[in-house]
């Protein structure tokens, strides 16, 4: 077989394929045309102001009714209880209703009314969707499904008039768990307006451990379990994690008992305290306190990191949250503590006082762009880089370990005091060191010991800063 014969065979095969595809497409288009024949939009153009829909009611049949309303541009579930919902899910229902088409021909009405309702599934308790706006409403009742993606509908008039429609609206309203339309974000005020964070969780001893952090001007302060400086970056990371935290799903509504979910007495709690500011017509600003509280319950199954949870202001909805959300809600206390020795900025320090247990006190004072060192024995020339290196150790270096304890008194080697430009003491810390030139400990009197490696190299003698 030469190349010419092979080429002709390929051309013949291609022509056969193209012909088959053409015949198949004609057949499909013909069937589609037959299915669409006689179908027209259910709602005449302009008869419904779709963009003004502000209430949607969905009945799954009988008393199983969900109601949604739009307020200030946001959608809320209002029945069976209030809960914010995902706007996109409601807009899907509106879009499917807007594009709904149905066959103009009615169902066979030759039999009795009961036979008609039984055959179409459009009895008195049939599921429905009702869409309302300020001046009116429309209603679509759902009946049995039909082959090829169709279903019976009725527009809810005085007399039932079954029509065959595409089942797209059925799918949008009836085939999903409406509980999962709710917004899954756990917190909305984990932002710059937040002024207090609280978390509670059981400790290893079984007792409740409480972490409380409050805003202190532009900084943050830990007030429980101890009172000390907070690590601003860590607190901001906590807030960011809370802002991202979401429920992974909704489990049950209005449970008769909370014990199966571990929520009769929550195992963990996180609270965000914030304020809402509103200006009235007269220009007066009112401040309204807001508290968001998440209660964390039992694992969804033994050994699982996912847990049951609920929001205190919406207690009727039991949800699931994953291990990531749990970790974001309740961070370890030590991670929130400022790990620097003094928490000050180098540029805010005018005077450094070094007060060793043994030896003379040194005073290092900023004079213009230079530093002057003085002691009882007189003045000494200093090296600016060495003094600024000391400031970096006191203000910027981060502890390698933090413990909630004080240093042993017999290990304290001295005290360091920082003064501001107005003469105030802005920081005072005791410095300790393990024997055999071990690690340094810095204690600011708050009950927190910040531990640094031997390489920190804190010294109290004048030769560490002189130019000699």
């Amino acid at each position: 077989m030469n190349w010419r014969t092979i080429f002709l065979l390929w051309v013949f095969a291609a022509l056969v394929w193209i012909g088959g595809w053409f015949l198949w497409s004609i057949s499909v288009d013909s069937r589609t045309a037959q299915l669409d024949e006689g179908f027209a939009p259910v709602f005449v153009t302009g008869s419904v102001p779709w963009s003004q829909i502000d209430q949607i009611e969905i009945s799954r049949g009988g008393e199983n009714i969900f109601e949604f309303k739009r307020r200030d541009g946001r959608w809320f579930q209002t029945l069976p209880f209030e809960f914010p919902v995902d706007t996109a899910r409601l807009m899907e229902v509106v879009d499917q209703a807007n594009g709904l088409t149905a066959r103009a021909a009615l169902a066979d009405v030759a039999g009795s009314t009961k036979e008609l309702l039984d055959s179409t599934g459009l009895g008195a308790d049939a599921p429905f969707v009702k869409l309302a706006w300020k001046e009116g409403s429309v209603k679509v009742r759902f009946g049995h499904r039909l082959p090829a993606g169709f279903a019976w509908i009725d527009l809810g008039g005085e007399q039932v008039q079954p029509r065959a429609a595409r089942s797209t609206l059925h799918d949008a309203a009836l085939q999903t768990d409406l509980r999962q339309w709710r917004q899954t974000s756990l917190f909305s005020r984990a932002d710059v307006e937040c002024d207090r964070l609280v978390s509670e969780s059981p400790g290893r001893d079984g007792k409740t451990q409480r972490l409380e952090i409050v805003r202190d001007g532009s900084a943050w302060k830990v007030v429980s379990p101890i009172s000390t400086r907070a690590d601003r970056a860590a607190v901001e990371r906590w807030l960011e994690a809370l802002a991202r935290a979401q429920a992974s799903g909704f489990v049950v509504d209005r449970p008769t008992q909370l014990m199966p979910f571990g929520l009769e007495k929550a195992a963990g709690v996180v609270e965000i305290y914030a304020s809402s500011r509103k200006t009235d017509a007269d220009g007066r600003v009112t401040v309204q306190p807001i508290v968001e509280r998440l209660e964390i319950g039992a694992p969804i199954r033994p050994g699982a990191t996912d847990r049951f949870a609920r929001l205190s202001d919406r207690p009727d909805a039991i949800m699931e949250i994953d291990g990531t959300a749990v970790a974001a809600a309740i961070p370890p206390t030590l991670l929130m503590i400022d790990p620097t020795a003094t928490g000050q900025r180098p540029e805010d320090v005018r005077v450094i006082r070094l007060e060793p247990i043994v030896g003379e006190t040194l005073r290092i004072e900023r004079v213009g762009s230079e530093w002057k060192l003085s002691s009882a024995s007189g003045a000494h020339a200093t090296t600016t880089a060495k003094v600024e290196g000391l400031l970096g150790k006191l203000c910027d270096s981060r502890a390698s370990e933090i413990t909630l304890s004080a240093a042993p008194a017999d290990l304290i080697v001295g005290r360091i005091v920082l003064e501001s430009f107005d003469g105030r003491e802005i920081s005072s810390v005791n410095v300790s060191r393990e024997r055999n030139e071990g690690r340094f400990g810095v204690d600011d009197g708050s009950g927190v010991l910040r531990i640094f490696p031997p390489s920190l190299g804190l010294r109290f003698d004048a030769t560490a800063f002189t130019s000699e």
Side-chain angles (χ1 to χ4, degrees), residues 364-378:
I364 307 175
E365 184 174 352
R366 192 194 301 265
V367 180
S369 60
E370 299 181 350
W371 292 87
K372 303 296 183 181
L373 186 152
S374 61
S375 65
S377 60

Side-chain angles (χ1 to χ4, degrees), residues 184 186-187 198-202 211 238 241-248 261 263 266-271 294-300 303-310 319-333 335-336:
T184 56
L186 300 177
F187 300 98
V198 176
S199 72
E200 295 181 353
S201 60
L211 170 63
W238 187 14
L242 292 176
R244 293 192 303 267
Q246 295 188 341
S248 50
F261 307 101
L263 290 167
V269 169
V270 61
E271 296 174 333
L294 173 70
E295 299 176 0
I296 301 172
I300 61 173
T305 58
D306 294 17
R307 289 177 172 266
F308 296 112
R310 67 173 180 172
M319 62 185 73
E320 290 182 10
I321 60 175
D322 61 22
T324 301
V326 174
I330 306 178
T333 296
L335 289 183
M336 295 294 111

Side-chain angles (χ1 to χ4, degrees), residues 75-76 83-91 180-184:
W75 281 91
F76 294 84
F83 209 103
V85 294
D86 183 358
T87 297
R89 307 303 292 268
L90 275 300
M91 291 302 95
Q180 309 311 323
W181 289 10
R182 299 168 188 160
Q183 286 187 2
T184 56

